[in-house]
Amino acid sequence: MSFKFATTSPSFGRQVGGRLLLNKGIPGPVQSLPWLKLHFTNPPSNKKTHGRTLILHCSDSSSTTPTATNATPPPVLRKRSRYRKQYPGESKGITEEMRFVAMKLRNNKAEELAGGTLTDSKYNSSSDEQHDIRDSDVQTWQPSIEGFLKFLVDSHLIFATLDRIVEQSTDVSYAYFRRTGLERSEGLLKDIEWFRQQDIVIPEPSMPGITYAKYLEEIAEKSAPLFLSHFYNIYFSHIAGGQVIAKQVSAKILEERELEFYQWEGDAAELLKGVREKLNMLGEHWTRDEKNRCLKETTKSFRFLGQIVRLIILL
């Protein structure tokens, strides 16, 4: 209920704070006072108010919404937080995520070899190219000196490309991976020179090695996360599966000779652990999209490496 008054004359009442105290017996019609809007704090009942003072709140006449003195604010509705499902291995770092991708590729390859149907996977776009290295697989190979030498030459091209990129790049991310102790290019040169001393013709790098080296150079310019995905997976594959190849090939065609390619100054697993920790540290600053692209590059890395390993048995 509201009243309008044209004046604040004492004959009508007095204003105290934000309230107008109306005197008993207001002269004149209240409808003729348009510039002041009043609201009852407690709306009066139908009973008469003779002998009592009405307490009214004043408000600007321009206001269109009546104010309530004891109004309760509406409750604040908070949106419920929704958390996405983590990728396998995500809590431990990007290298653990890549390991899960490699394991999935290995399992899919096993299904393929057993005549099964490969399951659909967002990481499995090129799993048919993946080469899975196991003792039982290598034992069925018939390697040749010529094929193994092609493998060494292409491998040297790949590892030399890795060394050159991390040494010459101005990207600060690559500086963490210089002189890790895992470098293989010098050892490979020694092995290739040994074959030359046996009067064996050293071939030029073949298409699998040339293609992969060119791809590494291209992605190194575009994206450090993508290149480092290949960097880690190349060394990981060499340490995890390369020694299986070395033992089998050496026993069959090299009279148990130990190659420099498979020897490190120090514990190879510990050296790889250092690289893994640095890569996980950098990965904490990558976006989820960059990490997803790294996982896709893991598949490509094993595809390229598989093509190079097959040189051992291809004439």
Side-chain angles (χ1 to χ4, degrees):
M1 181 175 183
S2 63
F3 292 90
K4 297 181 181 179
F5 295 90
T7 178
T8 57
S9 171
S11 61
F12 291 99
R14 64 187 183 281
Q15 185 171 345
V16 178
R19 301 183 299 176
L20 181 64
L21 303 183
L22 220 57
N23 294 334
K24 178 182 178 182
I26 301 175
V30 297
Q31 292 83 358
S32 63
L33 309 175
W35 66 277
L36 183 63
K37 180 185 289 186
L38 304 173
H39 302 283
F40 281 100
T41 301
N42 296 308
S45 63
N46 292 330
K47 296 181 180 181
K48 296 181 179 180
T49 59
H50 297 297
R52 294 181 292 167
T53 299
L54 298 178
I55 300 177
L56 304 171
H57 283 282
C58 301
S59 64
D60 190 346
S61 60
S62 62
S63 176
T64 59
T65 304
T67 59
T69 57
N70 296 321
T72 302
V76 178
L77 299 178
R78 296 182 180 179
K79 290 186 177 181
R80 192 174 183 179
S81 299
R82 299 182 64 183
Y83 300 96
R84 65 172 179 81
K85 183 178 179 181
Q86 284 194 332
Y87 283 68
E90 183 176 357
S91 61
K92 294 185 178 180
I94 185 62
T95 60
E96 186 70 4
E97 291 188 54
M98 290 191 289
R99 189 179 72 87
F100 272 93
V101 173
M103 289 172 59
K104 193 172 187 67
L105 291 171
R106 179 187 179 101
N107 293 336
N108 287 339
K109 183 64 177 180
E111 291 181 13
E112 183 184 39
L113 293 174
T117 302
L118 295 181
T119 57
D120 185 22
S121 169
K122 58 185 174 184
Y123 305 132
N124 198 35
S125 59
S126 56
S127 63
D128 57 324
E129 299 288 345
Q130 167 60 19
H131 183 83
D132 183 39
I133 301 172
R134 301 177 184 173
D135 288 309
S136 59
D137 292 338
V138 179
Q139 290 173 358
T140 63
W141 292 3
Q142 295 300 324
S144 65
I145 291 290
E146 293 78 6
F148 187 65
L149 190 52
K150 288 181 181 179
F151 164 73
L152 293 179
V153 170
D154 277 28
S155 294
H156 174 261
L157 176 60
I158 299 305
F159 283 101
T161 300
L162 294 180
D163 293 346
R164 185 178 68 257
I165 290 173
V166 297
E167 286 291 337
Q168 299 179 359
S169 176
T170 58
D171 193 314
V172 67
S173 298
Y174 298 158
Y176 291 98
F177 303 96
R178 294 171 183 167
R179 294 176 289 280
T180 63
L182 292 175
E183 292 78 12
R184 298 289 85 203
S185 57
E186 291 185 6
L188 279 162
L189 280 179
K190 293 178 181 180
D191 290 332
I192 293 172
E193 179 60 27
W194 180 84
F195 278 98
R196 181 179 283 110
Q197 294 173 0
Q198 310 307 311
D199 295 328
I200 299 175
V201 177
I202 307 302
E204 294 295 321
S206 61
M207 191 55 62
I210 294 173
T211 302
Y212 195 15
K214 182 178 180 181
Y215 183 76
L216 290 173
E217 292 173 348
E218 291 175 352
I219 62 172
E221 292 292 330
K222 297 178 181 178
S223 170
L226 300 190
F227 169 77
L228 291 175
S229 173
H230 286 264
F231 181 93
Y232 177 78
N233 283 308
I234 289 171
Y235 283 111
F236 172 79
S237 299
H238 178 58
I239 294 173
Q243 296 185 62
V244 176
I245 296 176
K247 291 178 181 179
Q248 296 296 331
V249 173
S250 177
K252 290 188 176 183
I253 63 175
L254 299 178
E255 300 179 351
E256 304 291 341
R257 176 181 174 77
E258 293 185 1
L259 299 176
E260 294 290 331
F261 187 26
Y262 302 101
Q263 299 182 46
W264 290 266
E265 294 182 3
D267 189 326
E270 285 297 316
L271 295 174
L272 184 64
K273 180 182 177 182
V275 171
R276 180 165 57 247
E277 291 175 349
K278 292 177 182 179
L279 187 54
N280 285 336
M281 178 188 67
L282 288 177
E284 293 178 359
H285 303 282
W286 297 344
T287 65
R288 186 63 254 176
D289 179 65
E290 288 175 321
K291 292 180 180 180
N292 289 345
R293 292 167 64 193
C294 282
L295 300 184
K296 292 181 180 179
E297 291 301 315
T298 296
T299 299
K300 292 181 181 180
S301 177
F302 282 104
R303 182 192 67 192
F304 281 120
L305 292 173
Q307 292 173 345
I308 295 174
V309 170
R310 287 192 186 95
L311 293 172
I312 298 174
I313 58 175
L314 295 178
L315 299 178

